[in-house]
Amino acid sequence: MVDLEKMQRDVDKCLTLLQQITENRNGETLAVQEEEKPIGIDEAADFLGVRRQTVYQRIDKLPHRKRFGKLYFFKSELLEYLKEGAS
């Protein structure tokens, strides 16, 4: 039989530990970042505000990965590319 009170205490302990882990030495809460997921060429084109064809034409200059015959991008890398002012 499941002891619900014990389970609740265990959950509370886990939450307390998680809160302690996300606080740094100054008592400030750290941001917990989710892992960034790759995007495809259509979403990359939308993000950059260009057509899909333009992405293909500039692929040698854009940060990307190619796996299994498909192109993948990360928004953070595309944003960094734009900030650098690369043409």
Side-chain angles (χ1 to χ4, degrees):
M1 181 175 255
V2 177
D3 183 356
L4 294 178
E5 290 179 11
K6 182 185 180 316
M7 187 183 296
Q8 183 61 49
R9 285 192 303 271
D10 291 343
V11 169
D12 290 341
K13 284 181 187 177
C14 289
L15 290 173
T16 301
L17 288 172
L18 183 59
Q19 189 174 22
Q20 290 171 353
I21 290 169
T22 58
E23 290 181 1
N24 66 16
R25 291 181 184 171
N26 297 329
E28 298 171 353
T29 301
L30 299 174
V32 178
Q33 295 179 343
E34 290 185 30
E35 185 175 334
E36 185 177 10
K37 296 188 185 327
I39 59 174
I41 192 156
D42 291 324
E43 193 172 345
D46 288 343
F47 181 76
L48 294 170
V50 298
R51 296 183 324 169
R52 180 183 177 138
Q53 180 181 357
T54 305
V55 174
Y56 280 120
Q57 290 171 345
R58 304 277 182 169
I59 197 64
D60 59 325
K61 297 181 182 190
L62 293 171
H64 69 282
R65 315 276 191 301
K66 187 172 184 180
R67 299 288 185 265
F68 309 111
K70 289 186 72 174
L71 293 171
Y72 297 95
F73 305 85
F74 289 95
K75 285 184 179 181
S76 61
E77 292 177 358
L78 293 174
L79 189 58
E80 193 61 35
Y81 168 81
L82 292 174
K83 287 179 182 178
E84 291 173 2
S87 58

Coordinates of all heavy atoms in Angstrom, one line a residue:
M1 N 0.8 -1.2 0.0 CA 0.0 0.0 0.0 C 0.9 1.3 0.0 O 1.9 1.3 0.7 CB -0.9 0.0 1.2 CG -1.8 1.2 1.3 SD -3.0 1.1 2.6 CE -4.4 0.7 1.8
V2 N 0.5 2.3 -0.7 CA 1.2 3.5 -0.8 C 0.9 4.4 0.3 O -0.3 4.7 0.6 CB 0.9 4.2 -2.2 CG1 1.6 5.5 -2.3 CG2 1.2 3.3 -3.3
D3 N 2.0 4.9 1.0 CA 1.8 5.9 2.1 C 1.8 7.3 1.5 O 2.9 7.8 1.1 CB 2.9 5.7 3.1 CG 2.8 6.6 4.3 OD1 1.8 7.4 4.3 OD2 3.6 6.5 5.2
L4 N 0.7 7.9 1.3 CA 0.6 9.2 0.6 C 1.3 10.3 1.4 O 1.9 11.2 0.9 CB -0.9 9.6 0.4 CG -1.6 8.7 -0.6 CD1 -3.1 9.1 -0.7 CD2 -0.9 8.7 -2.0
E5 N 1.3 10.2 2.7 CA 1.9 11.3 3.6 C 3.4 11.2 3.4 O 4.1 12.2 3.3 CB 1.6 11.1 5.0 CG 0.1 11.5 5.3 CD -0.3 11.3 6.8 OE1 0.7 11.0 7.6 OE2 -1.4 11.3 7.1
K6 N 4.0 10.0 3.3 CA 5.4 9.8 3.1 C 5.8 10.3 1.7 O 6.8 11.0 1.5 CB 5.8 8.3 3.3 CG 7.3 8.1 3.1 CD 7.7 6.7 3.2 CE 9.2 6.4 3.0 NZ 9.9 7.1 2.0
M7 N 5.0 10.0 0.7 CA 5.2 10.4 -0.6 C 5.2 12.0 -0.7 O 6.1 12.5 -1.3 CB 4.2 9.9 -1.6 CG 4.4 10.1 -3.0 SD 3.2 9.5 -4.2 CE 3.3 7.8 -3.9
Q8 N 4.3 12.6 0.0 CA 4.2 14.1 0.0 C 5.5 14.6 0.7 O 6.0 15.6 0.2 CB 3.0 14.6 0.7 CG 2.8 16.1 0.7 CD 2.7 16.6 -0.7 OE1 1.9 16.1 -1.5 NE2 3.5 17.6 -1.0
R9 N 6.0 14.0 1.8 CA 7.2 14.5 2.4 C 8.4 14.4 1.5 O 9.2 15.3 1.4 CB 7.4 13.7 3.7 CG 6.5 14.1 4.9 CD 7.0 13.5 6.2 NE 7.1 12.1 6.2 CZ 6.1 11.2 6.5 NH1 5.0 11.7 6.8 NH2 6.4 9.9 6.4
D10 N 8.4 13.2 0.7 CA 9.5 13.0 -0.2 C 9.5 14.1 -1.3 O 10.5 14.6 -1.7 CB 9.5 11.6 -0.8 CG 9.8 10.6 0.2 OD1 10.4 10.9 1.3 OD2 9.5 9.4 -0.1
V11 N 8.3 14.4 -1.8 CA 8.2 15.4 -2.9 C 8.6 16.8 -2.3 O 9.3 17.5 -3.0 CB 6.7 15.5 -3.4 CG1 6.5 16.7 -4.3 CG2 6.4 14.2 -4.2
D12 N 8.2 17.1 -1.1 CA 8.6 18.4 -0.5 C 10.1 18.4 -0.3 O 10.7 19.5 -0.6 CB 7.9 18.5 0.9 CG 6.4 18.8 0.8 OD1 6.0 19.2 -0.3 OD2 5.7 18.5 1.8
K13 N 10.8 17.3 0.1 CA 12.2 17.3 0.2 C 12.9 17.6 -1.2 O 13.8 18.3 -1.3 CB 12.7 16.0 0.7 CG 12.5 15.8 2.2 CD 13.0 14.4 2.6 CE 12.7 14.1 4.0 NZ 13.2 12.7 4.4
C14 N 12.3 17.0 -2.2 CA 12.9 17.1 -3.5 C 12.7 18.6 -4.0 O 13.7 19.2 -4.6 CB 12.2 16.2 -4.5 SG 12.6 14.5 -4.4
L15 N 11.6 19.2 -3.7 CA 11.4 20.6 -4.1 C 12.3 21.5 -3.3 O 12.9 22.5 -3.9 CB 9.9 21.0 -3.8 CG 8.9 20.4 -4.8 CD1 7.5 20.7 -4.3 CD2 9.1 20.8 -6.2
T16 N 12.6 21.2 -2.1 CA 13.5 22.0 -1.3 C 14.9 21.9 -1.8 O 15.6 22.9 -2.0 CB 13.5 21.6 0.2 OG1 12.1 21.7 0.7 CG2 14.4 22.4 1.0
L17 N 15.3 20.7 -2.2 CA 16.7 20.5 -2.7 C 16.8 21.2 -4.1 O 17.8 21.8 -4.4 CB 16.9 19.0 -2.9 CG 17.2 18.2 -1.6 CD1 17.3 16.7 -1.9 CD2 18.5 18.7 -1.0
L18 N 15.8 21.1 -4.9 CA 15.8 21.8 -6.2 C 15.9 23.3 -6.0 O 16.7 24.0 -6.7 CB 14.5 21.5 -7.0 CG 14.5 22.0 -8.4 CD1 15.6 21.6 -9.3 CD2 13.1 21.6 -9.0
Q19 N 15.2 23.9 -5.1 CA 15.3 25.3 -4.8 C 16.7 25.7 -4.3 O 17.3 26.7 -4.7 CB 14.3 25.7 -3.7 CG 14.2 27.2 -3.6 CD 13.0 27.5 -2.6 OE1 12.6 26.7 -1.8 NE2 12.5 28.7 -2.7
Q20 N 17.3 24.8 -3.5 CA 18.7 25.1 -3.0 C 19.7 25.0 -4.2 O 20.6 25.8 -4.2 CB 19.1 24.1 -1.9 CG 18.3 24.3 -0.7 CD 18.6 23.2 0.3 OE1 19.2 22.2 0.0 NE2 18.1 23.3 1.6
I21 N 19.5 24.1 -5.1 CA 20.4 24.0 -6.2 C 20.3 25.2 -7.1 O 21.3 25.6 -7.7 CB 20.1 22.7 -7.0 CG1 20.4 21.5 -6.2 CG2 20.7 22.7 -8.4 CD1 19.9 20.2 -6.8
T22 N 19.1 25.8 -7.3 CA 19.0 26.9 -8.2 C 19.3 28.2 -7.6 O 19.2 29.3 -8.2 CB 17.6 26.9 -8.8 OG1 16.6 27.0 -7.7 CG2 17.3 25.7 -9.6
E23 N 19.8 28.2 -6.4 CA 20.2 29.5 -5.7 C 21.7 29.5 -5.7 O 22.4 28.5 -5.3 CB 19.6 29.6 -4.3 CG 18.2 29.8 -4.3 CD 17.6 30.0 -2.9 OE1 18.4 29.9 -1.9 OE2 16.4 30.2 -2.7
N24 N 22.3 30.7 -6.0 CA 23.8 30.8 -5.9 C 24.2 31.3 -4.5 O 23.3 31.5 -3.6 CB 24.3 31.6 -7.0 CG 23.9 33.1 -6.9 OD1 23.4 33.5 -5.9 ND2 24.0 33.8 -8.0
R25 N 25.4 31.6 -4.3 CA 25.9 31.9 -3.0 C 25.3 33.3 -2.5 O 25.3 33.5 -1.3 CB 27.4 32.0 -3.1 CG 28.1 30.7 -3.2 CD 29.6 30.8 -3.2 NE 30.1 29.5 -3.5 CZ 31.4 29.3 -3.8 NH1 32.2 30.3 -3.8 NH2 31.8 28.1 -4.0
N26 N 24.9 34.1 -3.4 CA 24.4 35.4 -3.0 C 22.9 35.3 -2.8 O 22.2 36.4 -2.5 CB 24.7 36.5 -4.1 CG 26.1 36.7 -4.3 OD1 26.9 36.6 -3.3 ND2 26.5 37.0 -5.5
G27 N 22.3 34.2 -2.9 CA 20.9 34.0 -2.6 C 20.0 34.4 -3.8 O 18.8 34.4 -3.8
E28 N 20.7 34.6 -5.0 CA 19.9 35.0 -6.2 C 19.5 33.7 -6.9 O 20.3 32.7 -6.9 CB 20.8 35.8 -7.1 CG 21.2 37.1 -6.5 CD 22.2 37.9 -7.3 OE1 22.7 37.3 -8.3 OE2 22.5 39.0 -7.0
T29 N 18.4 33.7 -7.4 CA 17.9 32.5 -8.1 C 18.5 32.4 -9.5 O 18.5 33.4 -10.3 CB 16.4 32.5 -8.3 OG1 15.8 32.6 -7.0 CG2 15.9 31.3 -9.0
L30 N 19.1 31.3 -9.9 CA 19.7 31.1 -11.2 C 18.6 30.7 -12.2 O 17.6 30.1 -11.9 CB 20.7 29.9 -11.1 CG 21.9 30.1 -10.2 CD1 22.7 28.9 -10.1 CD2 22.7 31.3 -10.6
A31 N 18.8 31.2 -13.4 CA 17.8 30.8 -14.5 C 18.1 29.4 -14.9 O 19.3 29.0 -15.2 CB 18.0 31.8 -15.6
V32 N 17.1 28.6 -15.0 CA 17.3 27.2 -15.5 C 16.9 27.2 -16.9 O 15.8 27.5 -17.3 CB 16.4 26.2 -14.7 CG1 16.5 24.8 -15.2 CG2 16.7 26.3 -13.2
Q33 N 17.9 26.9 -17.8 CA 17.7 27.0 -19.2 C 17.3 25.7 -19.8 O 17.8 24.6 -19.4 CB 18.9 27.5 -19.9 CG 19.3 28.9 -19.5 CD 20.6 29.3 -20.2 OE1 21.3 28.5 -20.8 NE2 20.8 30.6 -20.3
E34 N 16.3 25.7 -20.7 CA 16.0 24.5 -21.4 C 17.0 24.3 -22.5 O 17.5 25.2 -23.1 CB 14.6 24.6 -22.0 CG 13.5 24.6 -20.9 CD 12.1 24.6 -21.6 OE1 12.0 24.1 -22.7 OE2 11.2 25.1 -21.0
E35 N 17.2 23.1 -22.9 CA 18.1 22.8 -24.0 C 17.4 23.3 -25.3 O 16.2 23.1 -25.5 CB 18.3 21.3 -24.1 CG 19.3 20.9 -25.2 CD 19.5 19.4 -25.2 OE1 19.4 18.8 -24.2 OE2 19.9 18.9 -26.3
E36 N 18.2 24.0 -26.1 CA 17.7 24.6 -27.3 C 17.5 23.5 -28.3 O 18.4 22.6 -28.5 CB 18.7 25.6 -27.8 CG 18.2 26.3 -29.0 CD 19.2 27.4 -29.5 OE1 20.3 27.5 -29.0 OE2 18.8 28.2 -30.4
K37 N 16.4 23.5 -29.0 CA 16.1 22.5 -30.0 C 16.4 23.1 -31.4 O 16.2 24.2 -31.7 CB 14.6 22.1 -30.0 CG 14.2 21.5 -28.6 CD 12.8 20.9 -28.7 CE 12.3 20.4 -27.4 NZ 13.1 19.7 -26.5
P38 N 16.9 22.2 -32.3 CA 17.3 22.7 -33.6 C 16.0 23.0 -34.4 O 14.9 22.4 -34.1 CB 18.0 21.5 -34.2 CG 17.6 20.3 -33.5 CD 17.3 20.8 -32.1
I39 N 16.1 23.9 -35.4 CA 15.0 24.2 -36.3 C 15.4 23.9 -37.7 O 16.6 23.7 -38.0 CB 14.6 25.7 -36.1 CG1 15.8 26.6 -36.5 CG2 14.1 26.0 -34.7 CD1 15.5 28.1 -36.6
G40 N 14.4 23.7 -38.5 CA 14.6 23.4 -39.9 C 14.8 24.6 -40.8 O 14.7 25.7 -40.3
I41 N 14.9 24.4 -42.0 CA 15.2 25.5 -43.0 C 14.1 26.5 -43.1 O 14.3 27.7 -43.2 CB 15.7 24.9 -44.3 CG1 16.3 26.1 -45.2 CG2 14.5 24.2 -45.0 CD1 17.2 25.6 -46.2
D42 N 12.8 26.0 -43.0 CA 11.7 26.9 -43.2 C 11.6 27.8 -42.0 O 11.4 29.1 -42.1 CB 10.4 26.1 -43.3 CG 10.3 25.4 -44.6 OD1 10.8 26.0 -45.6 OD2 9.7 24.3 -44.7
E43 N 11.8 27.3 -40.8 CA 11.7 28.1 -39.6 C 12.9 29.1 -39.5 O 12.8 30.2 -39.1 CB 11.7 27.3 -38.3 CG 11.3 28.1 -37.1 CD 11.0 27.2 -35.9 OE1 10.9 26.0 -36.0 OE2 11.0 27.8 -34.8
A44 N 14.1 28.6 -40.0 CA 15.3 29.5 -40.1 C 15.1 30.6 -41.0 O 15.4 31.8 -40.7 CB 16.5 28.7 -40.5
A45 N 14.4 30.4 -42.1 CA 14.1 31.4 -43.1 C 13.2 32.4 -42.5 O 13.4 33.6 -42.6 CB 13.6 30.8 -44.4
D46 N 12.1 31.9 -41.8 CA 11.2 32.8 -41.2 C 11.9 33.7 -40.1 O 11.7 34.9 -40.0 CB 10.1 32.0 -40.5 CG 9.1 31.5 -41.5 OD1 9.1 31.9 -42.7 OD2 8.3 30.5 -41.1
F47 N 12.8 33.0 -39.3 CA 13.5 33.7 -38.2 C 14.4 34.9 -38.8 O 14.5 35.9 -38.3 CB 14.3 32.7 -37.4 CG 15.1 33.3 -36.3 CD1 14.4 33.7 -35.1 CD2 16.4 33.5 -36.4 CE1 15.1 34.2 -34.1 CE2 17.2 34.1 -35.4 CZ 16.5 34.5 -34.2
L48 N 15.0 34.6 -39.9 CA 15.9 35.5 -40.6 C 15.1 36.6 -41.4 O 15.7 37.6 -41.8 CB 16.9 34.8 -41.4 CG 17.9 33.9 -40.7 CD1 18.7 33.1 -41.7 CD2 18.8 34.8 -39.8
G49 N 13.9 36.3 -41.7 CA 13.1 37.2 -42.5 C 13.4 37.1 -44.0 O 13.4 38.2 -44.7
V50 N 13.9 36.0 -44.4 CA 14.2 35.8 -45.9 C 13.5 34.6 -46.4 O 12.9 33.8 -45.7 CB 15.8 35.6 -46.0 CG1 16.5 36.8 -45.6 CG2 16.3 34.4 -45.3
R51 N 13.6 34.4 -47.7 CA 13.0 33.2 -48.3 C 13.9 32.0 -48.2 O 15.1 32.1 -48.0 CB 12.8 33.5 -49.8 CG 11.8 34.6 -50.1 CD 11.5 34.8 -51.5 NE 12.7 34.6 -52.4 CZ 12.7 34.5 -53.7 NH1 11.6 34.7 -54.3 NH2 13.8 34.3 -54.3
R52 N 13.3 30.9 -48.3 CA 14.0 29.6 -48.2 C 15.1 29.5 -49.2 O 16.2 29.1 -48.8 CB 13.0 28.5 -48.4 CG 13.5 27.1 -48.3 CD 12.5 26.1 -48.6 NE 13.0 24.8 -48.6 CZ 12.5 23.7 -48.1 NH1 11.3 23.8 -47.6 NH2 13.0 22.5 -48.1
Q53 N 14.9 30.0 -50.4 CA 15.9 30.0 -51.4 C 17.2 30.8 -51.0 O 18.3 30.4 -51.3 CB 15.3 30.6 -52.7 CG 16.3 30.6 -53.9 CD 15.7 31.2 -55.1 OE1 14.5 31.5 -55.1 NE2 16.5 31.3 -56.2
T54 N 16.9 31.9 -50.3 CA 18.0 32.8 -49.8 C 18.9 32.0 -48.8 O 20.1 32.1 -48.8 CB 17.5 34.1 -49.2 OG1 16.7 34.7 -50.2 CG2 18.6 35.0 -48.8
V55 N 18.2 31.2 -48.0 CA 19.0 30.4 -47.0 C 19.9 29.5 -47.7 O 21.1 29.3 -47.4 CB 18.1 29.7 -46.0 CG1 18.8 28.8 -45.1 CG2 17.3 30.7 -45.2
Y56 N 19.4 28.8 -48.7 CA 20.2 27.8 -49.5 C 21.3 28.6 -50.2 O 22.5 28.0 -50.2 CB 19.3 27.1 -50.5 CG 18.5 25.9 -50.0 CD1 17.2 25.9 -50.0 CD2 19.2 24.9 -49.4 CE1 16.4 24.9 -49.5 CE2 18.5 23.8 -48.9 CZ 17.1 23.8 -49.0 OH 16.4 22.8 -48.5
Q57 N 21.1 29.7 -50.7 CA 22.1 30.5 -51.4 C 23.2 31.0 -50.5 O 24.4 31.1 -50.9 CB 21.5 31.7 -52.1 CG 20.6 31.4 -53.3 CD 19.9 32.6 -53.8 OE1 19.8 33.6 -53.2 NE2 19.3 32.4 -55.0
R58 N 22.9 31.2 -49.2 CA 23.9 31.7 -48.2 C 24.3 30.6 -47.3 O 25.0 31.0 -46.2 CB 23.3 32.9 -47.5 CG 22.8 34.0 -48.3 CD 23.9 34.9 -48.6 NE 23.4 36.0 -49.4 CZ 24.1 37.1 -49.7 NH1 25.3 37.2 -49.2 NH2 23.6 38.0 -50.4
I59 N 24.1 29.4 -47.5 CA 24.3 28.3 -46.6 C 25.8 28.2 -46.1 O 26.1 27.9 -45.0 CB 23.8 26.9 -47.1 CG1 23.7 26.0 -45.9 CG2 24.7 26.4 -48.2 CD1 22.6 26.3 -44.9
D60 N 26.7 28.6 -47.0 CA 28.1 28.5 -46.7 C 28.5 29.6 -45.6 O 29.5 29.5 -45.0 CB 29.0 28.7 -47.9 CG 28.7 29.9 -48.7 OD1 27.6 30.4 -48.7 OD2 29.7 30.5 -49.2
K61 N 27.7 30.6 -45.5 CA 27.9 31.7 -44.5 C 27.1 31.5 -43.2 O 27.5 32.1 -42.2 CB 27.7 33.0 -45.1 CG 28.6 33.3 -46.3 CD 28.3 34.7 -46.9 CE 29.2 34.9 -48.1 NZ 29.2 36.2 -48.5
L62 N 26.1 30.7 -43.2 CA 25.2 30.6 -42.1 C 25.6 29.5 -41.2 O 26.0 28.4 -41.7 CB 23.7 30.4 -42.5 CG 23.0 31.5 -43.3 CD1 21.7 31.0 -43.8 CD2 22.8 32.7 -42.3
P63 N 25.5 29.7 -39.9 CA 25.9 28.5 -39.0 C 24.8 27.5 -39.1 O 23.6 27.8 -38.9 CB 25.9 29.2 -37.6 CG 25.1 30.4 -37.7 CD 25.2 30.9 -39.1
H64 N 25.2 26.3 -39.3 CA 24.2 25.2 -39.5 C 24.9 23.8 -39.3 O 26.1 23.7 -39.2 CB 23.6 25.2 -40.9 CG 24.6 24.9 -42.0 ND1 25.6 25.8 -42.4 CD2 24.8 23.7 -42.7 CE1 26.3 25.2 -43.4 NE2 25.9 23.9 -43.5
R65 N 24.1 22.8 -39.2 CA 24.5 21.4 -39.1 C 23.8 20.6 -40.2 O 22.6 20.9 -40.5 CB 24.1 20.8 -37.8 CG 24.4 21.6 -36.5 CD 25.9 21.5 -36.1 NE 26.1 22.1 -34.8 CZ 26.0 23.3 -34.4 NH1 25.4 24.2 -35.2 NH2 26.3 23.7 -33.2
K66 N 24.4 19.6 -40.7 CA 23.7 18.8 -41.7 C 23.8 17.3 -41.2 O 24.9 16.8 -40.9 CB 24.4 18.9 -43.1 CG 23.6 18.2 -44.1 CD 24.2 18.5 -45.5 CE 23.4 17.8 -46.6 NZ 23.9 18.1 -47.9
R67 N 22.7 16.8 -41.0 CA 22.6 15.4 -40.5 C 21.5 14.6 -41.3 O 20.4 15.2 -41.5 CB 22.2 15.3 -39.0 CG 23.2 15.9 -38.1 CD 24.5 15.1 -38.0 NE 25.4 15.7 -37.0 CZ 26.4 16.5 -37.2 NH1 26.6 16.9 -38.5 NH2 27.1 17.0 -36.3
F68 N 21.9 13.5 -41.8 CA 20.9 12.6 -42.5 C 20.3 13.4 -43.7 O 19.1 13.2 -44.0 CB 19.8 12.1 -41.6 CG 20.4 11.5 -40.3 CD1 20.2 12.1 -39.1 CD2 21.0 10.3 -40.4 CE1 20.7 11.5 -37.9 CE2 21.6 9.7 -39.2 CZ 21.4 10.3 -38.0
G69 N 21.1 14.2 -44.3 CA 20.7 14.9 -45.5 C 19.8 16.1 -45.2 O 19.2 16.7 -46.2
K70 N 19.6 16.5 -44.0 CA 18.8 17.6 -43.6 C 19.6 18.7 -42.9 O 20.6 18.4 -42.3 CB 17.7 17.2 -42.6 CG 16.6 16.3 -43.3 CD 15.5 16.1 -42.3 CE 14.7 17.3 -42.1 NZ 13.5 17.2 -41.3
L71 N 19.2 20.0 -43.1 CA 19.9 21.1 -42.5 C 19.2 21.4 -41.2 O 17.9 21.5 -41.2 CB 19.9 22.3 -43.5 CG 20.7 22.1 -44.7 CD1 20.4 23.3 -45.7 CD2 22.1 22.1 -44.4
Y72 N 20.0 21.7 -40.2 CA 19.5 22.1 -38.9 C 20.2 23.4 -38.5 O 21.4 23.6 -38.7 CB 19.7 21.0 -37.9 CG 19.0 19.8 -38.2 CD1 19.6 18.7 -38.8 CD2 17.6 19.6 -37.8 CE1 18.9 17.6 -39.1 CE2 16.9 18.4 -38.1 CZ 17.6 17.4 -38.7 OH 16.9 16.3 -39.0
F73 N 19.4 24.3 -37.8 CA 19.9 25.5 -37.3 C 19.5 25.7 -35.8 O 18.6 25.1 -35.4 CB 19.3 26.7 -38.1 CG 19.5 26.6 -39.6 CD1 18.7 25.8 -40.4 CD2 20.6 27.2 -40.2 CE1 18.8 25.7 -41.7 CE2 20.8 27.1 -41.6 CZ 19.9 26.4 -42.3
F74 N 20.3 26.6 -35.1 CA 19.9 27.0 -33.8 C 19.7 28.5 -33.8 O 20.5 29.2 -34.3 CB 21.0 26.6 -32.8 CG 21.1 25.1 -32.6 CD1 22.0 24.4 -33.3 CD2 20.3 24.5 -31.6 CE1 22.1 23.0 -33.1 CE2 20.4 23.1 -31.4 CZ 21.3 22.4 -32.1
K75 N 18.5 28.9 -33.2 CA 18.2 30.3 -33.3 C 19.3 31.2 -32.6 O 19.6 32.2 -33.1 CB 16.9 30.5 -32.6 CG 15.7 30.1 -33.4 CD 14.4 30.5 -32.7 CE 13.2 30.1 -33.5 NZ 11.9 30.4 -32.9
S76 N 19.9 30.7 -31.5 CA 20.9 31.4 -30.8 C 22.1 31.7 -31.7 O 22.7 32.8 -31.7 CB 21.3 30.7 -29.5 OG 21.9 29.4 -29.8
E77 N 22.5 30.7 -32.5 CA 23.6 30.9 -33.5 C 23.3 31.8 -34.6 O 24.1 32.6 -35.0 CB 24.1 29.5 -34.0 CG 24.7 28.6 -33.0 CD 25.0 27.2 -33.5 OE1 24.8 26.9 -34.7 OE2 25.6 26.4 -32.7
L78 N 22.0 31.7 -35.1 CA 21.6 32.6 -36.1 C 21.5 34.1 -35.6 O 21.9 35.0 -36.3 CB 20.2 32.2 -36.7 CG 20.2 30.9 -37.4 CD1 18.7 30.5 -37.8 CD2 21.0 31.0 -38.7
L79 N 21.1 34.2 -34.4 CA 21.0 35.6 -33.8 C 22.4 36.1 -33.6 O 22.7 37.3 -33.9 CB 20.3 35.5 -32.5 CG 20.0 36.8 -31.8 CD1 19.1 37.7 -32.6 CD2 19.3 36.5 -30.5
E80 N 23.4 35.3 -33.2 CA 24.8 35.7 -33.0 C 25.3 36.1 -34.4 O 26.1 37.1 -34.5 CB 25.6 34.6 -32.4 CG 26.9 35.1 -31.9 CD 26.9 36.1 -30.8 OE1 26.0 36.1 -30.0 OE2 27.7 37.0 -30.9
Y81 N 25.0 35.4 -35.4 CA 25.4 35.7 -36.8 C 24.9 37.1 -37.2 O 25.7 37.9 -37.8 CB 24.9 34.6 -37.7 CG 25.0 34.9 -39.2 CD1 26.2 34.8 -39.9 CD2 24.0 35.4 -39.9 CE1 26.4 35.1 -41.2 CE2 24.1 35.7 -41.3 CZ 25.3 35.5 -41.9 OH 25.4 35.8 -43.2
L82 N 23.7 37.3 -36.9 CA 23.1 38.6 -37.2 C 23.7 39.8 -36.4 O 24.0 40.9 -37.0 CB 21.6 38.6 -37.0 CG 20.8 37.8 -37.9 CD1 19.3 37.8 -37.4 CD2 20.9 38.2 -39.3
K83 N 24.0 39.5 -35.2 CA 24.7 40.5 -34.3 C 26.1 40.9 -34.8 O 26.5 42.0 -34.7 CB 24.8 40.0 -32.9 CG 23.5 40.1 -32.2 CD 23.6 39.6 -30.7 CE 22.3 39.5 -30.0 NZ 22.5 39.0 -28.6
E84 N 26.8 39.9 -35.4 CA 28.1 40.1 -35.9 C 28.1 41.0 -37.1 O 29.2 41.5 -37.5 CB 28.8 38.8 -36.2 CG 29.1 38.0 -34.9 CD 29.7 36.6 -35.3 OE1 29.8 36.3 -36.5 OE2 29.9 35.8 -34.3
G85 N 27.0 41.1 -37.8 CA 26.9 41.9 -39.0 C 27.5 41.2 -40.2 O 27.9 41.9 -41.2
A86 N 27.6 39.9 -40.2 CA 28.2 39.2 -41.3 C 27.2 39.3 -42.5 O 26.0 39.4 -42.3 CB 28.4 37.8 -41.0
S87 N 27.8 39.4 -43.7 CA 27.0 39.5 -44.9 C 26.8 38.2 -45.6 O 27.5 37.3 -45.4 CB 27.5 40.6 -45.8 OG 28.8 40.2 -46.2

